[in-house]
Amino acid sequence: MPGRTSSAPADLRTYSHDQGPITDSAAPIAVVWPDNTHDVQTILKWASSRDVPVVCRGAGSGVSGGAHATPGCIVLSLERMNAILEIRPEDEVAVVEPGVVNADLNSAAAEYGLMFAPDPASYRWSTIGGNVATNAGGLRCAKYGVTRDSVLALDVVLADGTLIHTGHSTFKGVAGYDLTALLVGSEGTLGVVVGITVRLRYLPEKVQTLAAFFPDVRSAAEGVLAIARARVQPAILELLDGMTMEALDVAHGSRLASRGGALLLLQTDGFGADEEAAAVRRVLTELGGTLSEVGAAEAADLVELRRHSRGDPVDHEYRVGEDVAVPKSSLVRYIGALEDIARNQAVHLKVVAHAGDGNLHPTFWVSTTDGPGALVRLAVALDESVRTALEFGGTITGEHGVGQYKLRWLPWEQADEVLNLQRRIKDVFDPRGILNPGKAIVPAVRE
């Protein structure tokens, strides 16, 4: 088999999972690191001829179990395919291999006054291939959209080893079905992405960062709607509640919680950054927010704190966190509902959100000393938070993907007709069902 291959127990353990919760633990039979597209084609031809499942992996930064190993599989790690093949500044595009790290592409593009807009919290180590697989989001989504909005074309190896090219190198193009959009977010269930043509955006001429502190999280959420009514589109618009700020203060020595009960962190960018920041300051002050305009160093610190806001695991807590999204008009009501759920189930809650596009990351937790009933209450709170998001017109995942962990919720959101159609699409791309089985779509019930 081409590329480097390992069946060493340490490698099998390391590459058997991503950062998501594990519902069905399994170890791969081998880990394979291809060096190029031809290697990937050869590996998939071999796997298809033997009905060996293939689970693709980038940096393993996903949090929904999309890269968890399944029984009898090989893990195909694309981390060695990490070349930036081309940057065409006049066309504002780049062509990269899937193992290129998000931050590395941005560093290279910055030399031309450009950027790759999607910026997940893990941008320093997550790969572009992984961003494509999950249709990753990030802090700049409010203005620039998710990964799909920046992908123009893909080179993809199908399950039988066939290499196809989808999309175009132009910003506009409507020839045929949009297979590129279909493949982005498919979590490795339809093909293996080996090349990505992305759209680059202009690095903003100016950035203004504002920190707006409010007495509580609901009033901060009202501020999100007030900004929208003022018709200002921040590049970044993030919400952190009081519990999140307290946790950050403990972990990083900051003093956020002393300044209010909730924080709206926002950035305006471009030539109109000053004017937009002034409009935001006006409407948030009218709502009772306490605003400060921060310098470049403090702005960088605040954004970095936001990227760490979900927190690291600790031994004395059981935590469950989610990635739901609701219409922005439901943001205040949904946060109120989360608080009610936490209170009714006697669990703790903290909320962070990409508030500019209604994507929330609520985290529920209990202490390990709270007794066996606490885990049941924790699970109930999580399920109720997802059901409530759907009742408000939302979705079970805004940017992390379905993976393995969220399969149980997918039928809550999608009708049987839609689930069946997805299975039929899967059968067309992967008739033997070897690509990342048991992920992203609900499998058919075997009689």
Side-chain angles (χ1 to χ4, degrees):
M1 190 176 296
R4 187 167 77 85
T5 304
S6 174
S7 57
D11 287 332
L12 299 185
R13 284 193 301 272
T14 298
Y15 285 83
S16 67
H17 59 87
D18 57 27
Q19 302 298 310
I22 298 173
T23 58
D24 297 302
S25 181
I29 59 175
V31 183
V32 185
W33 293 266
D35 290 313
N36 50 53
T37 296
H38 183 264
D39 286 355
V40 174
Q41 291 182 271
T42 302
I43 292 164
L44 286 179
K45 288 176 183 176
W46 175 89
S48 181
S49 68
R50 293 164 175 79
D51 286 334
V52 175
V54 178
V55 175
C56 289
R57 177 188 171 96
S61 61
V63 293
S64 292
H68 285 352
T70 54
C73 79
I74 62 171
V75 169
L76 189 66
S77 175
L78 299 164
E79 61 193 299
R80 289 168 61 161
M81 294 178 63
N82 59 1
I84 298 174
L85 300 174
E86 190 177 11
I87 294 179
R88 303 201 302 271
E90 291 188 351
D91 292 329
E92 299 158 28
V93 301
V95 182
V96 302
E97 291 184 323
V100 171
V101 172
N102 184 297
D104 292 342
L105 174 56
N106 267 296
S107 294
E111 297 180 17
Y112 302 96
L114 299 167
M115 67 178 181
F116 180 59
D119 64 332
S122 57
Y123 79 104
R124 286 195 178 89
W125 64 91
S126 68
T127 62
I128 304 299
N131 295 169
V132 169
T134 60
N135 194 21
L139 275 64
R140 290 194 291 242
C141 285
K143 184 171 185 177
Y144 296 102
V146 294
T147 297
R148 182 179 285 120
D149 299 305
S150 291
V151 175
L152 299 174
L154 295 172
D155 298 304
V156 180
V157 178
L158 301 179
D160 64 359
T162 301
L163 177 65
I164 65 170
H165 179 82
T166 71
H168 36 76
S169 294
T170 56
F171 295 165
K172 296 171 69 175
V174 294
Y177 295 143
D178 192 349
L179 297 181
T180 302
L182 174 64
L183 287 159
V184 177
S186 63
E187 302 186 44
T189 62
L190 301 180
V192 178
V193 173
V194 293
I196 308 154
T197 301
V198 300
R199 178 179 182 175
L200 302 176
R201 310 281 180 157
Y202 304 134
L203 275 175
E205 177 69 19
K206 178 178 285 189
V207 174
Q208 283 283 8
T209 302
L210 295 176
F213 290 89
F214 288 84
D216 54 61
V217 68
R218 293 197 204 189
S219 58
E222 289 280 7
V224 176
L225 301 180
I227 293 170
R229 287 192 294 269
R231 298 299 182 252
V232 175
Q233 179 59 77
I236 292 176
L237 181 52
E238 301 291 306
L239 184 151
L240 290 76
D241 73 355
M243 295 295 288
T244 300
M245 292 193 294
E246 289 179 14
L248 288 172
D249 289 345
V250 171
H252 300 280
S254 54
R255 299 186 61 189
L256 297 175
S258 66
R259 301 170 67 180
L263 166 65
L264 278 184
L265 174 65
L266 62 101
Q267 285 186 346
T268 57
D269 69 355
F271 287 102
D274 292 339
E275 291 82 355
E276 290 182 328
V280 169
R281 177 184 293 278
R282 182 176 63 255
V283 298
L284 294 187
T285 300
E286 290 173 355
L287 277 177
T290 302
L291 278 87
S292 63
E293 184 176 313
V294 300
E298 186 182 0
D301 289 344
L302 285 171
V303 172
E304 192 63 24
L305 283 172
R306 166 59 186 92
R307 294 187 188 279
H308 289 89
S309 58
R310 298 198 75 184
D312 298 322
V314 293
D315 293 336
H316 63 279
E317 292 177 358
Y318 296 121
R319 294 184 195 168
V320 290
E322 256 322 302
D323 161 47
V324 295
V326 297
K328 284 203 308 184
S329 60
S330 298
L331 194 62
V332 177
R333 288 192 302 129
Y334 183 63
I335 290 174
L338 289 174
E339 293 174 334
D340 291 342
I341 290 169
R343 183 169 50 255
N344 293 338
Q345 297 301 327
V347 299
H348 300 286
L349 167 71
K350 63 179 182 179
V351 178
V352 298
H354 303 302
D357 55 18
N359 185 192
L360 300 99
H361 299 308
T363 298
F364 299 99
W365 81 94
V366 294
S367 170
T368 55
T369 61
D370 284 349
L375 292 180
V376 175
R377 299 196 309 274
L378 197 61
V380 170
L382 186 62
D383 281 353
E384 287 187 357
S385 72
V386 174
R387 284 196 184 277
T388 303
L390 292 172
E391 290 170 2
F392 285 176
T395 176
I396 66 172
T397 176
E399 60 183 4
H400 293 167
V402 174
Q404 182 187 74
Y405 184 61
K406 300 185 184 184
L407 279 177
R408 59 196 171 109
W409 296 326
L410 194 55
W412 297 4
E413 178 172 339
Q414 297 182 336
D416 288 342
E417 294 83 359
V418 173
L419 297 174
N420 287 330
L421 182 58
Q422 290 176 95
R423 295 184 192 111
R424 290 162 60 191
I425 293 171
K426 165 79 167 169
D427 288 343
V428 169
F429 278 81
D430 178 23
R432 306 186 74 89
I434 68 168
L435 294 178
N436 211 9
K439 318 287 178 52
I441 66 170
V442 177
V445 176
R446 304 293 182 185
E447 296 184 357

